[in-house]
Amino acid sequence: MDGKVYRIIRHKSNEFEVEASGEVLSARARGKLKREGELMVGDFVRLEDAGGEHVITEVLKRRNSLFRPSVANVDLIVIVVAPLPQIDWFLVDKLIINCKKAGVDCAICLNKKDISPAEYEELCFQYGPDVSAIVSVSAKNGDISQLLSVIKGKVVCFAGQSAVGKSTISNNILGGEIREVGHLSDKISRGKNTTTSAAILRSDDGYMFIDTPGFSMLDLINEDAENLGAYYEEYVSLADGCKFHPCTHVSEPDCAVKRAVSEGKISKKRYDRYVRIFEECKTAFKTQRRTR
Ligand SMILES: Nc1nc2c(ncn2[C@@H]2O[C@H](COP(=O)(O)OP(=O)(O)OP(=O)(O)O)[C@@H](O)[C@H]2O)c(=O)[nH]1
Ligand SMILES: [Mg+2]
Ligand SMILES: [Zn+2]
């Protein structure tokens, strides 16, 4: 295989599809690379020939990686939300925190604006200072131009709840019905997890992106509550005005973040969730220490 570098474009258990300059091969992982999480979609790998089978023997150092969705070496995570299913704001907060920890840029895409564009302004108020772009589209109507201008020239990963329309957006970019699209469960207005594994896709006009399975639960693993504010851009820029340094912006008096919240300059809803996530991290941290 001449040391050629391939990229993992999709996988199911120990079956990987890898690609280099348009050539697509199937391969299996060797030894400890077989373990869950050792190889991710987006990884660059080297192969060996073993009795007619391609075997992945080496994974190159990652530029970045995320646990959920499980992807590596991306330029931008686009968090997709929609008026239906209703936005899970905690999930958006936690996804942003994870992107910041991983050092990956993130943007937010409100899909299904044909149903209601109302959440767009709220998303801008809550997340404007914190993410690199916020766009609104209707994949169903083929109206995705705002999104295209944000993802052009980048390796992008779509992430978010089931049924927000990640695969419909993917089909729009690809220009065909390539990804399976699901529907909302009527009773609970929740998605049905139609997409079951991540895949790197490429359109004829050069867009490169990853469609991933939806999810609704995200725990912040090993996150130190005291450091949480560092992942909120708008809090970082206010922190100089707090009386205490460092300030967690929760129980300290004379806190510039709390002041900005009470003056309506930054979102109270987002701040209230920050306090809840802060408490969650604290509890998780204590439990970990106890069980160690
Ligand atoms: N009204 C409207 N419906 C849309 C739009 N985009 C997608 N949908 C519908 O939303 C449902 C779910 O779409 P999918 O593309 O399967 O959603 P997904 O995010 O890929 O879901 P998972 O693969 O389960 O994570 C389908 O019924 C789509 O037709 C849109 O812009 N407007
Ligand atoms: Mg899907
Ligand atoms: Zn403060």
Side-chain angles (χ1 to χ4, degrees):
M1 317 250 66
D2 305 331
K4 192 166 163 183
V5 174
Y6 288 80
R7 188 164 208 186
I8 296 177
I9 55 175
R10 66 180 88 209
H11 84 101
K12 211 149 217 178
S13 56
N14 192 21
E15 288 197 19
F16 294 83
E17 218 170 89
V18 298
E19 186 256 357
S21 345
E23 176 194 20
V24 177
L25 302 174
S26 348
R28 287 175 181 281
R30 170 183 285 174
K32 80 171 177 63
L33 293 181
K34 277 188 198 160
R35 288 199 303 242
E36 182 73 31
E38 291 290 330
L39 294 171
M40 298 170 135
V41 167
D43 267 333
F44 292 102
V45 296
R46 287 204 172 88
L47 311 179
E48 267 177 24
D49 232 334
E53 222 187 29
H54 304 299
V55 179
I56 301 173
T57 52
E58 184 190 349
V59 53
L60 306 195
K61 195 172 178 322
R62 290 174 183 145
R63 183 155 58 91
N64 55 48
S65 68
L66 279 181
F67 166 67
R68 223 168 210 198
S70 170
V71 292
N73 303 314
V74 294
D75 299 319
L76 180 74
I77 301 283
V78 174
I79 302 169
V80 182
V81 295
L84 257 183
Q86 277 183 0
I87 300 179
D88 180 340
W89 299 87
F90 273 105
L91 191 71
V92 178
D93 292 339
K94 289 178 178 180
L95 267 165
I96 294 174
I97 293 166
N98 277 352
C99 287
K100 302 225 157 160
K101 284 174 75 173
V104 188
D105 265 0
C106 63
I108 297 174
C109 175
L110 173 67
N111 185 31
K112 311 195 190 185
K113 73 171 177 189
D114 53 287
I115 297 178
S116 159
E119 302 287 18
Y120 182 72
E121 263 181 45
E122 186 60 26
L123 286 165
C124 291
F125 181 52
Q126 294 205 28
Y127 298 113
D130 219 42
V131 299
S132 59
I134 304 177
V135 296
S136 69
V137 304
S138 167
K140 193 175 188 171
N141 294 342
D143 175 6
I144 57 162
S145 57
Q146 282 190 22
L147 176 66
L148 292 181
S149 65
V150 165
I151 68 173
K152 195 171 179 164
K154 294 179 181 155
V155 180
V156 171
C157 171
F158 295 126
Q161 288 160 265
S162 180
V164 290
K166 299 176 295 298
S167 299
T168 311
I169 292 172
S170 301
N171 282 339
N172 254 266
I173 304 171
L174 294 168
E177 302 298 307
I178 289 130
R179 303 293 290 169
E180 191 191 341
V181 164
H183 52 92
L184 281 177
S185 142
D186 295 334
K187 272 194 211 139
I188 42 175
S189 286
R190 218 192 276 155
K192 292 193 163 171
N193 294 96
T194 307
T195 304
T196 53
S197 57
I200 299 191
L201 303 156
R202 214 192 279 260
S203 74
D204 291 340
D205 47 359
Y207 290 99
M208 193 166 168
F209 59 95
I210 309 177
D211 183 18
T212 67
F215 56 89
S216 53
M217 291 284 290
L218 187 58
D219 290 322
L220 295 176
I221 303 159
N222 285 331
E223 189 46 54
D224 180 3
E226 309 296 318
N227 192 42
L228 190 64
Y231 303 117
Y232 288 65
E233 217 63 63
E234 67 275 39
Y235 300 175
V236 172
S237 52
L238 286 164
D240 266 356
C242 297
K243 181 175 178 187
F244 289 90
H245 303 278
C247 178
T248 65
H249 322 302
V250 176
S251 49
E252 297 89 341
D254 203 356
C255 163
V257 169
K258 284 195 269 185
R259 209 177 308 131
V261 170
S262 64
E263 289 167 359
K265 288 183 180 150
I266 55 174
S267 166
K268 175 164 176 6
K269 288 181 185 160
R270 177 154 154 86
Y271 175 75
D272 288 345
R273 294 194 306 271
Y274 165 81
V275 175
R276 293 252 316 258
I277 295 172
F278 178 89
E279 297 300 341
E280 255 177 47
C281 291
K282 247 182 153 166
T283 315
F285 204 63
K286 267 190 221 146
T287 315
Q288 271 165 22
R289 286 179 56 173
R290 236 182 287 130
T291 52
R292 222 178 260 161

